[in-house]
Amino acid sequence: MFLLSKSTLMKHGYLKNQIKISPMKTKNLIKTFYYFRAGDTLKLISPKEEIIDLEKVGKATIPANGFGLIKSREHFTFDSSILAIFGNVSDLIKKGIQIVNSPSIDPGFEGNLTLGIKNLTDRSIDISFDDNIGKILFFNVADTVLEFGYLVEEEEIREKLSQRQKGDEFV
């Protein structure tokens, strides 16, 4: 397993269709990670439930101590050799917003990311469409996947991945 750098991703991974990011903002690809952005949908869950079209309204307010689900602007497609790890964006943490997510994106994932977004403060905080809300680091796990393939039938691996790798919709 090895971390994919910007140059490796641009020269090999992205061009060989191991990783597809759409729409990709090239300046968000930095060294060994990609900043992903707030997408068009924010579903506030607390204190009241409300679905907001961020693209249409531009920005939305997350109430004090509020929680919601947010969809990434980017649609990601990873082949079975790519694993990604989530990272927080320090600008959001400084505002008092924490992204709540699983620690990784599994090989074979396809879809927009859905993450929890928690306002940790006692004041309202705005989030805007297209804001950088998180980052992901890409790892090539081809040797790990191949080693695992010796333990289970390849068809079984494909079935398990196809059952759980599609990005979930929350609307």
Side-chain angles (χ1 to χ4, degrees):
M1 172 172 25
F2 64 91
L3 181 62
L4 294 174
S5 68
K6 178 179 181 174
S7 62
T8 302
L9 181 62
M10 293 306 288
K11 289 178 188 170
H12 302 291
Y14 193 74
L15 297 177
K16 288 187 177 179
N17 295 322
Q18 289 176 307
I19 301 169
K20 294 179 188 173
I21 304 170
S22 178
M24 181 176 186
K25 189 174 186 178
T26 308
K27 79 175 201 169
N28 280 12
L29 185 59
I30 318 256
K31 296 184 182 179
T32 58
F33 58 88
Y34 179 81
Y35 284 115
F36 61 91
R37 300 165 287 160
D40 60 0
T41 308
L42 170 65
K43 180 180 182 181
L44 292 176
I45 295 174
S46 67
K48 65 177 185 167
E49 194 165 309
E50 175 184 7
I51 295 175
I52 301 166
D53 183 338
L54 278 177
E55 188 173 19
K56 183 177 179 182
V57 299
K59 69 179 179 179
T61 300
I62 301 170
N65 301 303
F67 179 79
L69 297 173
I70 192 161
K71 189 167 83 168
S72 69
R73 179 159 185 202
E74 292 84 356
H75 180 277
F76 295 91
T77 304
F78 300 159
D79 78 7
S80 63
S81 67
I82 302 299
L83 170 82
I85 305 290
F86 280 100
N88 282 308
V89 177
S90 50
D91 288 347
L92 286 185
I93 295 291
K94 288 175 189 174
K95 287 182 179 181
I97 294 178
Q98 179 182 19
I99 296 296
V100 182
N101 54 277
S102 142
S104 65
I105 307 168
D106 294 331
F109 176 84
E110 180 179 353
N112 293 73
L113 304 175
T114 300
L115 306 108
I117 188 163
K118 174 72 177 153
N119 180 347
L120 302 171
T121 71
D122 291 330
R123 66 186 192 296
S124 297
I125 299 174
D126 288 339
I127 185 115
S128 297
F129 175 73
D130 208 46
D131 277 352
N132 290 340
I133 58 171
K135 61 185 171 186
I136 52 178
L137 291 89
F138 303 100
F139 292 87
N140 186 315
V141 293
D143 11 348
T144 307
V145 172
L146 292 174
E147 289 173 22
F148 182 71
Y150 289 114
L151 302 175
V152 226
E153 292 296 320
E154 194 172 320
E155 185 58 36
E156 183 180 340
I157 295 170
R158 267 197 296 265
E159 282 180 35
K160 286 181 181 181
L161 287 174
S162 70
Q163 290 171 2
R164 63 185 178 108
Q165 298 311 326
K166 297 291 180 187
D168 292 331
E169 290 295 323
F170 58 83
V171 190

